[in-house]
Amino acid sequence: MTRCHSVTPNRTDLTHCCFVDLLLYVPCASSLFLFTRKQPPMASGSSSLTNVPVVDELESQSAHATVKVPDSEHPGRGPSAIPEDKKEELLEQAEDDWQDDPENPRNWSGRKKWASTAIVSLYTFVPPLSSSIMAPGLPEIAIKYGITNQTLIAMTLSIFLISFAIGPLFMAPLSEMYGRRWVLHIAAVFTLGFNLGCAFSPTTGSMLGFRFLAGFSGSAPIAIGGGVVSDLFSERDRAAAMAIFSLGPLIGPVVGPIAGGFITETIGIKYVFVLVAALSGLSAVIGVPVLKESYAPYIRLRRAKKSGDPEKAAVGHPVLEAEHGSKLHYLWVNLSRPAILLTRSLICFMLSLYMAFMYGIYYLMFTVFSALFTEVYGFNTGTSGLTYIGLGVGFFAATGFSAKAGNELYLRLAEKNGGKGTPEMRIPALIVGSLIVPIGLFWFGWSAQAKVHWIMPIIGSGIFGCGMMTTYLPIQLYLVDTFRYAASALSAASVFRSLFGFAFPLFATPMFHAMGYGGGNSLLGGLAILLGIPFPIYIYYNGAKIRARSELSR
């Protein structure tokens, strides 16, 4: 803008200069006003006209980040000054740092990972052992407490599984609030105490009460163990670890009757529970110094809180930090999540239903074996426990296939998919297992019906055990790979299968009395075909589409 200046201005000159200034100023101001009105609002950076920070920039400084005007040589680069974007960038940066952090459980040494897996497997082995160890001693329980009702006798065995179903709903969220480690340790101590209560119970009611409580505390490893495996191993590496973890809940009920039969026959039913209490104590003694915390969000939150910087804690895991302000709300959300997964996810419901059906048959066999091999084949209480070895051999045989062959198949399919694995690549192993299960049931039932040599029903039970393990592992891996809340998905499946495990033994004796061993097992085998073959094939071809439509998936 040109200005009029005079060294010694008079009134006329001054008036003239002001008039000129006014004429020049008005158009320029108008043009400037119209220009600024036509521009889009500035959302970030400093004002290009004044170099004074705008409000958004001042707010973004609270995130401890310096906001700079993007370099003119690299337009579009540099951090955004919008507060929400800034938070996202900080979270992404924190995630990138965590990927390489030595405290990240997935960066632990192989020795430390497998030691943790072994401890969790030990914890997981004891409660299922407790669930079945008294099976050969059910006649002794009936005599000790004067029980004559067959359903009530069966309930002393299976009531354990009611609380075993309820417990994961509480244990899984507690492990996310307070970490996996101490929930496992404390639950082992309570399991010790409740089993001692079973050993010295004076009445049937107190016996049932302590069995119920032992199931509740014993459910912690079942609810949390799969989450620990997910914490430690990536999708490509977790098959073997999940197979070892899965052996606990399946081998425990097999070893239990073998030990329980001889203990009951030699020193009495009371010492069956004393043994379980001793194993719980031993697992805690080994686990407390060896097992380290593996839940990554809790590790990060705890580390941030130790730094004394609340904003750093909020950045480390904002959701967990917010929920810790209201623990009851957080507990309620997690209590309801397994129910939400079962009711709003067809995949979770059907896979959990099939797993529950397998588990129900498994526990049904515990009540059948004792009567079959003592009454039909003349075994005594101690040797009747050895008949469960067939199931154990089947489980071990299937572990090799499920862990090795199943994982190799998964990696091969992932390689064909450009190196990217999907949960559906776990399904082929499930389909193989679902074909083996009915073969084992037919073999077991009709050989027992024909009263052929005792080895034949045991071989049939081993075939069933092989098929069950071959279906059990892919289902667990699929649930962990698919859902954002892996512990809740496994809890949902655990609730379902424990309820079936409780219910099936109650109708086993009446069903086999009415239909015979052949007819009863044929019915179960037919249901296994109906549940276990069509739906896995459907998931294999359509699972990706279903997951894409679900907000519960990863």
Side-chain angles (χ1 to χ4, degrees), residues 2 93 126 276 345 481 507 526:
T2 305
Q93 183 178 358
V126 177
V276 175
S345 171
D481 291 351
F507 65 76

Side-chain angles (χ1 to χ4, degrees), residues 108-409:
W108 290 357
S109 66
R111 181 178 179 180
K112 189 175 180 180
K113 287 183 180 181
W114 285 108
S116 299
T117 304
I119 293 298
V120 172
S121 299
L122 177 60
Y123 274 138
T124 310
F125 169 78
V126 177
L129 174 80
S130 175
S131 71
S132 66
I133 195 169
M134 62 179 287
L138 288 178
E140 296 293 329
I141 291 286
I143 294 171
K144 180 179 179 180
Y145 294 106
I147 306 173
T148 57
N149 186 298
Q150 290 296 320
T151 302
L152 185 58
I153 293 173
M155 187 174 289
T156 61
L157 173 72
S158 63
I159 193 173
F160 183 96
L161 295 172
I162 297 180
S163 55
F164 213 58
I166 300 171
L169 299 178
F170 294 88
M171 299 301 177
L174 285 175
S175 75
E176 294 173 355
M177 293 166 63
Y178 301 106
R180 319 273 199 209
R181 181 188 183 194
W182 284 107
V183 175
L184 287 170
H185 297 334
I186 294 170
V189 174
F190 275 102
T191 301
L192 183 156
F194 294 142
N195 275 284
L196 288 178
C198 291
F200 297 98
S201 294
T203 64
T204 306
S206 60
M207 168 70 179
L208 292 172
F210 279 117
R211 282 284 288 172
F212 181 88
L213 293 173
F216 186 86
S217 62
S219 67
I222 302 297
I224 300 171
V228 174
V229 173
S230 178
D231 295 339
L232 297 174
F233 297 94
S234 65
E235 291 83 352
R236 286 175 166 268
D237 303 325
R238 70 170 61 118
M242 188 66 81
I244 293 174
F245 161 72
S246 298
L247 276 176
L250 295 178
I251 292 297
V254 172
V255 175
I258 297 172
F262 287 108
I263 293 172
T264 301
E265 189 177 46
T266 54
I267 57 178
I269 188 68
K270 176 175 71 174
Y271 292 96
V272 164
F273 301 107
V274 173
L275 174 64
V276 175
L279 289 175
S280 297
L282 178 63
S283 64
V285 168
I286 298 173
V288 169
V290 174
L291 184 64
K292 304 301 179 185
E293 182 56 53
S294 66
Y295 186 52
Y298 180 77
I299 295 173
R300 296 167 67 180
L301 179 64
R302 181 181 59 186
R303 186 171 64 177
K305 284 185 173 181
K306 284 182 179 178
S307 70
D309 187 345
E311 292 187 4
K312 185 178 180 181
V315 169
H317 199 282
V319 176
L320 192 61
E321 172 70 14
E323 296 291 358
H324 268 58
S326 176
K327 290 184 172 60
L328 288 177
H329 172 69
Y330 185 77
L331 187 62
W332 169 249
V333 169
N334 284 274
L335 281 171
S336 60
R337 187 177 292 133
I340 292 172
L341 285 167
L342 285 175
T343 55
R344 292 176 55 186
S345 171
L346 179 63
I347 288 178
C348 184
F349 175 79
M350 290 302 298
L351 291 179
S352 298
L353 177 62
Y354 184 60
M355 181 189 288
F357 183 71
M358 296 293 101
Y359 211 66
I361 297 174
Y362 184 36
Y363 271 86
L364 178 145
M365 286 186 171
F366 292 142
T367 57
V368 170
F369 272 37
S370 179
L372 173 65
F373 288 101
T374 56
E375 296 174 7
V376 176
Y377 292 101
F379 286 36
N380 59 33
T381 303
T383 54
S384 67
L386 296 175
T387 59
Y388 295 88
I389 290 177
L391 284 167
V393 171
F395 290 148
F396 275 110
T399 300
F401 170 79
S402 298
K404 190 173 186 301
N407 196 53
E408 289 178 357
L409 179 60

Side-chain angles (χ1 to χ4, degrees), residues 461-489:
S461 69
I463 295 172
F464 167 76
C466 180
M468 180 179 175
M469 184 65 182
T470 308
T471 62
Y472 191 89
L473 182 59
I475 290 174
Q476 293 227 103
L477 289 169
Y478 190 97
L479 294 176
V480 169
D481 291 351
T482 297
F483 295 101
R484 287 180 294 165
Y485 299 98
S488 295

Side-chain angles (χ1 to χ4, degrees), residues 164-166 168-169 338 342 490-500:
F164 213 58
I166 300 171
L169 299 178
L342 285 175
L490 293 177
S491 295
S494 177
V495 169
F496 225 165
R497 72 172 184 255
S498 296
L499 290 175
F500 274 53

